């Protein structure tokens, strides 16, 4: 295999795969609870929080970004309640107004402030910057065992690995309460389980995955991965354990196949330019969902 693959393609491919898996894991529970669009909502609300966090701290480190996203989520909750009460509208309409307004405000902040120098602008917010996440010291296979070379890996790789590890550990530790609260909330309440806290925990896991993935892969992949792989998996099985495994497989396939097609697909068709990796990954996940909807064993359920 060409050593250039190690430096130019493997890191962004791994980051995209980790991001897809981190989003797909909580996406299973959101889908089964009929809350799949919460992933879309999170991607809209975190943008202004991330931008404000950068403007205040001057850094795109993980902790300020998480605090900014958490602050934006809190503001969104307050605004939704205010719109619902003062405007006397249903909660769904209030959420639509607030999420759209906050995302528009985040885009406006990006356009009016000097954030492009740190890869925080409208283009990167939507499409991410997967193609630029290369490993400058990785042009030799010996770099895989060189601590100095490994230290220069894109920081997004470590951040996404940590996010996936946290989400996976939380899912494993609280698997039984998550399963009970998802399929039979009333029964879970009779057992004394904190159903409201469990729901908040699922949303928190989704927010953690979204914030970690936002800078690297953009909102398009985040939204697609919360919905498409779990929906594909749901059409393949009726067992939650198998659904989670299927969703991780579909997320991995979408990320790898999408990245390869983005880079080499146009060349195979005679074009000299590649296309957006994030857009192609989202497209592949949508195609997979269409195929499972047509041919999946549980498509009629």
């Amino acid at each position: 295999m060409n050593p250039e693959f190690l430096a130019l393609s493997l890191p962004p491919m791994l980051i995209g795969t980790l991001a897809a898996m981190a989003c797909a894991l909580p996406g299973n529970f959101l889908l089964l609870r009929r809350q799949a669009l919460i992933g879309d909502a999170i991607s809209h609300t975190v943008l202004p929080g991330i931008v404000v966090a950068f403007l205040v701290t001057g850094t795109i480190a993980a902790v300020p970004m998480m605090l900014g996203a958490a602050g934006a989520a809190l503001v969104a909750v307050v605004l939704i309640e205010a719109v619902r009460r003062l405007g006397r509208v249903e909660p769904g309409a209030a959420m639509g107004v607030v999420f759209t307004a906050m995302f528009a405000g985040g885009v406006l902040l990006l356009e009016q402030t000097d954030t492009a120098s740190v890869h925080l602008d409208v283009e990167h917010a939507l499409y991410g910057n997967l193609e630029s996440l290369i490993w400058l010291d990785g042009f030799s296979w010996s770099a895989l065992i060189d601590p100095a070379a490994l230290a220069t890996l894109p920081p997004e790789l470590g951040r996404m690995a940590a996010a996936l590890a946290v989400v996976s550990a939380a899912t494993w530790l609280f698997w039984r309460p998550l399963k009970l609260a998802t399929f039979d909330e009333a029964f879970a309440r009779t057992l004394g389980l904190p159903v409201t806290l469990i729901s908040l925990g699922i949303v928190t896991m989704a927010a953690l995955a979204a914030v970690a993935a936002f800078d690297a892969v953009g909102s398009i992949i985040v939204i697609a991965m919360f919905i498409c792989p779990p929906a594909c998996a749901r059409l393949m099985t009726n067992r939650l354990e198998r659904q989670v495994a299927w969703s991780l497989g579909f997320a991995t396939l979408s990320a790898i196949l999408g990245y390869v097609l983005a880079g080499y697909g146009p060349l195979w068709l005679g074009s000299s330019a590649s296309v957006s990796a994030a857009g192609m990954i989202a497209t592949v996940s949508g195609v997979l969902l269409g195929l499972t909807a047509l041919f999946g064993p549980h498509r009629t359920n």
Side-chain angles (χ1 to χ4, degrees):
M1 187 177 293
N2 193 329
E4 289 187 356
F5 171 81
L6 182 64
L8 302 180
S9 296
L10 184 59
M13 195 179 295
L14 284 176
I15 292 169
T17 301
L18 293 174
M21 294 174 67
C23 292
L25 198 52
N28 285 283
F29 299 99
L30 294 176
L31 179 75
L32 292 170
R33 297 166 68 92
R34 301 183 185 276
Q35 297 176 328
L37 288 180
I38 282 183
D40 186 17
I42 290 172
S43 70
H44 281 69
T45 57
V46 299
L47 179 58
I50 288 174
V51 177
V52 171
F54 167 73
L55 295 176
V56 172
T57 64
T59 178
I60 55 172
V63 173
M65 296 298 101
M66 286 295 298
L67 292 176
L74 180 61
V75 170
V77 171
V78 173
L79 289 177
I80 289 170
E81 187 64 17
V83 171
R84 187 182 70 83
R85 290 179 178 273
L86 298 177
R88 297 181 180 179
V89 297
E90 63 177 3
M95 285 190 290
V97 170
V98 171
F99 294 154
T100 303
M102 291 190 68
F103 187 73
V107 172
L108 183 63
L109 282 173
L110 286 175
E111 289 284 6
Q112 298 300 319
T113 55
D114 184 20
T115 56
S117 60
V118 292
H119 300 293
L120 189 61
D121 52 32
V122 174
E123 180 181 355
H124 288 102
L126 294 175
Y127 305 116
N129 61 334
L130 267 179
E131 294 87 349
S132 67
L133 302 180
I134 61 176
W135 186 16
L136 295 177
D137 292 338
F139 284 94
S140 171
W141 290 103
S142 62
L144 291 173
I145 56 174
D146 184 357
L150 292 174
T152 64
L153 280 166
E156 289 84 358
L157 180 59
R159 185 157 67 237
M160 282 314 313
L164 177 59
V166 171
V167 172
S168 300
T171 303
W172 180 72
L173 288 172
F174 301 103
W175 176 259
R176 183 174 175 80
L178 284 171
K179 189 174 182 178
L180 287 173
T182 297
F183 286 103
D184 195 337
E185 186 172 310
F187 180 60
R189 289 185 186 275
T190 62
L191 294 178
L193 294 177
V195 174
T196 302
L197 189 60
I198 292 172
S199 300
L200 181 61
I202 295 173
V203 175
T204 301
M205 287 195 300
L208 173 63
V211 173
F214 194 85
D215 176 54
V217 300
S219 62
I220 289 180
I221 292 185
V222 171
I223 295 170
M225 291 303 110
F226 273 127
I227 300 174
C228 290
C232 290
R234 179 64 186 85
L235 294 167
M236 298 300 295
T237 180
N238 279 329
R239 295 182 60 87
L240 181 58
E241 295 83 356
R242 294 178 181 175
Q243 178 180 322
V244 171
W246 270 108
S247 70
L248 295 177
F250 279 121
T252 301
L253 179 61
S254 298
I256 295 176
L257 185 58
Y259 189 86
V260 171
L261 289 177
Y264 299 100
L267 298 178
W268 297 336
L269 297 176
S271 175
S272 60
S274 61
V275 298
S276 167
M280 183 57 73
I281 291 172
T283 300
V284 170
S285 68
V287 170
L288 290 175
L289 178 55
L291 292 174
T292 54
L294 290 173
F295 305 109
H298 295 278
R299 62 186 183 278
T300 59
N301 289 353

